[in-house]
Amino acid sequence: MTRRSKKVARMAAAGAALAVVTAVGVAERTAVAASFTVLVHLHWFWIPAAVGLETASMAAFAIMLRRLLAAGGARVGVRPMLATAYAANAVSVSVPLAGPALATAFTFRRFTRQGADAPLAGWSLLAGGVISSVAAALIVVGGGLAAGNSLVAAVAVPGGVLAVALLVAAVAAVRRPRLRGALERPARWLLRQGSRMLRRPVAEPGQTIQAWAQRLGSFQLSPSSWLTATGLALANWLADAAVLAVSIHAAGATIAWRDLLLVYGSGIAAQSLNITPGGLGVTEGALSLALVATGLGTSQALATVLLYRLASFWLIALAGWLVVFWLRRPRARRGPAPERNRAMPRPSSPAGLAAHDLVLLHGQPGSPADWQEVTRRLPAQLHAVAPDRPGYGFSPLPPGGFAVNARAVLDDLDTRGITRAVLVGHSYGGGVALAAASLAPGRVAVAAASLAPGRVAAVVLLASVGPGCVTGWDRLLAAPGTGQLCALVAWRLTPWMARARLAGIARRRGRPLDPDEHVNWQVWGHAGGGHRPLWRTFLTEQRALLRELGELADAIASVRAPVLVLADPKDTMVPFETARELARALPDARLRLVAGAGHHLPRRAPQAVAGAIVAFLAAAQITDVPIAQPAIT
């Protein structure tokens, strides 16, 4: 079964599950209505206890991961670890289909940024998952045995034994070099096959696995520490089960603790199927049926489940997304305060700087306003234009990928009467600049007067896309269904939230915000406007990024114009390794770092960008003589 067919089957299963739950709800609408009556008469003093217990559950899970990281020498504070746990949980339970995988990638990235190397981060995630699964299996087994249900025990006990066996194997692999050595060969095969499936080849799988195995041997986690980690995982699950118990009491019902563990185990099993995000609908149905089976009335069971899911799912997911936004907030920049003088004179021109036409290409999404502060800092010899790219602002052209945008750039040069220009591209615009500089006869059908590279004198790339820039987020934003949903929410339904926040900040400061202040909020709130819906343009370009990036990487070697690559090593949107790959792959390129600006270089570091462009063009000694074109046959 292919990956696409599996995804379709999973979506069909999710739809069927939700349809069944909906049908049951319609059939039992009297009981559902009665459950809302029960909710009105809840014992509300139990609600803070439920929230507190769920908070303790999340804290136990975070502390367990912290202990595992500490085994490899990575010291992470409690608050950063709690933030990671809440944010990853929100991603896991909220994003359809890809939620768990994205949450794992997010957690891995957070761990590596907090001081853990890749082997330690991967091992901690693997060990944490195994320990958590063992704890969950033990609870299900305990519930089945305590309730005297032989069928449940017969099903759960083998699963519990297997989970404990996996935990014992993990402990042995850490402590016994021979076992690690025996596992290296199958691990090399798995790495080779996995990299081949993901189309990301690993240069030396053997050396990679050996390095991981040696790093694994340095983890010092004693048997008592393993027991502590397992105890924390049990506390995580038991505190969550206590939330269910509190919800039952709040609804005015009672249940034996033996039955409670069995009911809670059914909820764990339903949620672990991952048919819907966070087991939505499926978990509620399984818990309701299990509670009714213990003797609770239907209305009380539904009210209990609604309260339990409010505390354990909805509130925690909301808190997690707030943490996600908090983690992605603009960081305060160190160093001298940014200049606010709007009457800033243009800088003097360095010796040897010739006159040039600059075409400034914004990112995705973006607008000519992104270049406002850069153009103010350029000397008079550099005449800059910042057009709307296809699909943005008031451009009459429909959105497209790199090839469509590259042809639009060359056609725009003809319209403006510019024979030769320097292309400056930010983020996605960098890919457009590279595509335009690489156009040659036979590569794409364009008019002879518009052929490149003769039209492109030089290229400046700012945090540009390129080889290795695609992440799991990019694939999610381009995926069928989830891509449309994410683009619609991000660029049509919610920008008003960013505008409201920006307006509040401006009111408190008593002045309009400058382009380099709260950049992420400004891009989110003000990227729209124009002839076409921004979300459709974003989705079109996102899918083109995945489709055309390979062709762009192959065409890079044909770029003969000198190239300047600017990037921040701590860019969170485009990996810094992409800038290095571009500098290595381009025939005539130089890499320059701009520290502390993040991804939005034109807005956050306009002085550094303008200075780098001026110095580059002065040193490159670019003439007005076009590069010789190959003969057209």
Side-chain angles (χ1 to χ4, degrees), residues 443-506:
R443 188 181 300 280
V444 344
V446 291
S450 297
L451 289 175
R455 306 295 303 277
V456 179
V459 179
V460 180
L461 304 176
L462 283 65
S464 174
V465 298
C469 72
V470 174
T471 65
W473 286 106
D474 292 313
R475 293 187 175 87
L476 173 68
L477 294 174
T482 57
Q484 288 95 327
L485 178 62
C486 293
L488 188 64
V489 170
W491 305 115
R492 180 158 188 175
L493 300 182
T494 60
W496 64 269
M497 299 168 59
R499 291 194 290 270
R501 174 173 170 78
L502 292 170
I505 296 172

Side-chain angles (χ1 to χ4, degrees), residues 565-578:
V565 182
L566 298 177
D568 184 353
K570 294 186 178 180
D571 189 340
T572 60
M573 295 188 183
V574 176
F576 180 66
E577 187 59 30
T578 296

Side-chain angles (χ1 to χ4, degrees), residues 538-563:
F538 181 89
L539 182 62
T540 299
E541 290 192 340
Q542 192 65 33
R543 290 176 172 172
L545 173 67
L546 270 66
R547 185 176 61 251
E548 298 181 16
L549 187 59
E551 297 177 5
L552 180 67
D554 293 337
I556 285 176
S558 66
V559 177
R560 297 296 177 231
V563 181

Side-chain angles (χ1 to χ4, degrees), residues 86 89-91 93-94 311-322:
Y86 272 91
N89 177 75
V91 173
V93 302
S94 303
S312 65
F313 179 81
W314 293 107
L315 291 180
I316 297 299
L318 175 61
W321 279 113
L322 291 175

Side-chain angles (χ1 to χ4, degrees), residues 261-492:
L261 288 179
L262 187 58
V263 170
Y264 181 70
S266 68
I268 293 177
Q271 189 170 348
S272 65
L273 296 176
N274 287 328
I275 296 177
T276 58
L280 190 62
V282 180
T283 303
E284 285 83 352
L287 286 173
S288 298
L289 291 174
L291 287 171
V292 170
T294 63
L296 264 67
T298 305
S299 59
Q300 283 184 319
L302 290 175
T304 296
V305 171
L306 290 175
L307 179 58
Y308 165 71
R309 292 289 277 174
L310 174 65
S312 65
F313 179 81
W314 293 107
L315 291 180
I316 297 299
L318 175 61
W321 279 113
L322 291 175
V323 172
V324 170
F325 287 121
W326 177 77
L327 292 175
R328 295 185 63 83
R329 75 193 190 282
R331 305 289 182 178
R333 299 187 301 279
R334 298 179 179 179
E339 300 167 344
R340 304 294 180 195
N341 183 10
R342 297 187 178 277
M344 177 186 297
R346 290 184 179 271
S348 59
S349 304
L353 178 64
H356 293 286
D357 290 303
L358 270 60
V359 178
L360 310 179
L361 304 171
H362 61 76
Q364 174 216 30
S367 70
D370 295 341
W371 299 103
Q372 174 183 335
E373 295 300 307
V374 174
T375 55
R376 287 175 51 232
R377 291 165 168 83
L378 293 174
Q381 290 100 316
L382 302 182
H383 176 255
V385 294
D388 284 308
R389 292 199 293 103
Y392 290 97
F394 296 95
S395 171
L397 302 175
F402 298 123
V404 170
N405 275 263
R407 287 193 291 270
V409 168
L410 299 178
D411 291 342
D412 187 60
L413 293 181
D414 290 338
T415 302
R416 298 177 186 271
I418 299 174
T419 57
R420 203 153 182 252
V422 176
L423 303 184
V424 183
H426 171 238
S427 192
Y428 201 100
V432 175
L434 287 172
S438 67
L439 289 180
R443 188 181 300 280
V444 344
V446 291
S450 297
L451 289 175
R455 306 295 303 277
V456 179
V459 179
V460 180
L461 304 176
L462 283 65
S464 174
V465 298
C469 72
V470 174
T471 65
W473 286 106
D474 292 313
R475 293 187 175 87
L476 173 68
L477 294 174
T482 57
Q484 288 95 327
L485 178 62
C486 293
L488 188 64
V489 170
W491 305 115
R492 180 158 188 175

